[in-house]
Amino acid sequence: EAGVAQSPRYKIIEKRQSVAFWCNPISGHATLYWYQQILGQGPKLLIQFQNNGVVDDSQLPKDRFSAERLKGVDSTLKIQPAKLEDSAVYLCASSPPGGGGFETQYFGPGTRLLVL
Amino acid sequence: GENVEQHPSTLSVQEGDSAVIKCTYSDSASNYFPWYKQELGKRPQLIIDIRSNVGEKKDQRIAVTLNKTAKHFSLHITETQPEDSAVYFCAASRNNDMRFGAGTRLTVKP
């Protein structure tokens, strides 16, 4: 079974530029999560999708961050404009339908973002 | 919202010794408590978890204990091996929210 795929793996941009990350969850997984992990800290849940609907985005900085999962499969996370403090690893995770949620989430390899 | 505190931030033990990492949480409604191991540059991997209706769970050399009254839970690793060296994160969740601790860097010296 293929795992969660993310791209790009690395991205370097200058502050005030825009950037987008892509996530392809495990086939059939209904729930998709985006986390931000700043160096030396634990992951922070940014947004959770159930199919193509947002379940929770209470920790997403909506002034500059946006995410979508239009067809309920792939998802993109965008930052516009980026700030220095956005430098982090952005982790995507997915979990299968039928309950379980966080208990059955699988993480992708992450996208490492550096904002200069 | 939920707040998770994790201690210690770094822990160094000799191979074969035990390691204990402790976490406290603030939201009494949290009902799921996983522990993740993250090696350098890799994704977090679930190593053990516990639900709020259980006080203790064990899986080979790893165990987790939960004290709901005091709102704290701990990870215990016995007979540590060099390959246990990594950063360990605790987390607490309820409904659609999960909060992680800041992590403990465990070093097992051969």
Side-chain angles (χ1 to χ4, degrees):
Chain A
E1 176 182 76
V4 176
Q6 291 187 245
S7 68
R9 294 296 311 278
Y10 305 92
K11 189 74 176 180
I12 301 174
I13 62 172
E14 294 187 349
K15 60 184 179 185
R16 291 187 288 274
Q17 285 187 322
S18 300
V19 64
F21 313 126
W22 174 81
C23 173
N24 181 226
I26 293 172
S27 178
H29 279 200
T31 309
L32 186 146
Y33 314 85
W34 282 103
Y35 292 85
Q36 177 194 57
Q37 186 174 21
I38 294 173
L39 186 65
Q41 298 181 19
K44 174 185 172 183
L45 180 62
L46 295 177
I47 189 168
Q48 179 184 168
F49 291 95
Q50 181 74 19
N51 296 310
N52 61 349
V54 176
V55 173
D56 185 88
D57 63 356
S58 56
Q59 297 197 92
L60 186 73
K62 298 180 186 64
D63 57 332
R64 298 184 300 105
F65 286 66
S66 65
E68 60 183 16
R69 194 184 184 201
L70 294 177
K71 297 183 179 179
V73 181
D74 294 3
S75 176
T76 56
L77 176 69
K78 298 179 181 177
I79 307 175
Q80 182 178 9
K83 292 186 175 181
L84 297 177
E85 57 262 37
D86 298 332
S87 295
V89 175
Y90 290 85
L91 294 161
C92 179
S94 68
S95 63
F102 293 119
E103 298 182 39
T104 53
Q105 68 176 339
Y106 295 84
F107 283 92
T111 294
R112 187 175 299 273
L113 173 68
L114 179 61
V115 183
L116 301 175
Chain B
E2 175 67 275
N3 183 46
V4 179
E5 303 272 348
Q6 183 172 347
H7 300 280
S9 57
T10 61
L11 179 59
S12 181
V13 300
Q14 285 294 137
E15 181 177 0
D17 287 350
S18 295
V20 180
I21 303 170
K22 299 181 179 181
C23 287
T24 60
Y25 61 100
S26 60
D27 188 349
S28 57
S30 290
N31 55 13
Y32 175 64
F33 307 90
W35 286 89
Y36 290 88
K37 175 182 180 182
Q38 188 173 33
E39 297 176 9
L40 189 62
K42 301 236 177 126
R43 72 198 76 187
Q45 289 190 308
L46 179 69
I47 56 171
I48 195 166
D49 56 9
I50 193 167
R51 293 201 65 86
S52 58
N53 57 348
V54 177
E56 184 173 355
K57 183 177 178 180
K58 189 173 181 180
D59 182 4
Q60 298 182 18
R61 296 187 296 111
I62 297 173
V64 57
T65 58
L66 170 65
N67 183 326
K68 282 196 303 181
T69 303
K71 289 189 280 190
H72 68 69
F73 56 113
S74 301
L75 176 71
H76 304 253
I77 306 175
T78 59
E79 300 172 30
T80 54
Q81 302 167 1
E83 50 265 39
D84 293 331
S85 295
V87 179
Y88 291 81
F89 293 98
C90 64
S93 81
R94 58 164 290 191
N95 298 330
N96 301 312
D97 190 27
M98 174 173 275
R99 303 293 172 109
F100 283 77
T104 296
R105 181 174 298 280
L106 174 65
T107 303
V108 181
K109 295 180 285 187

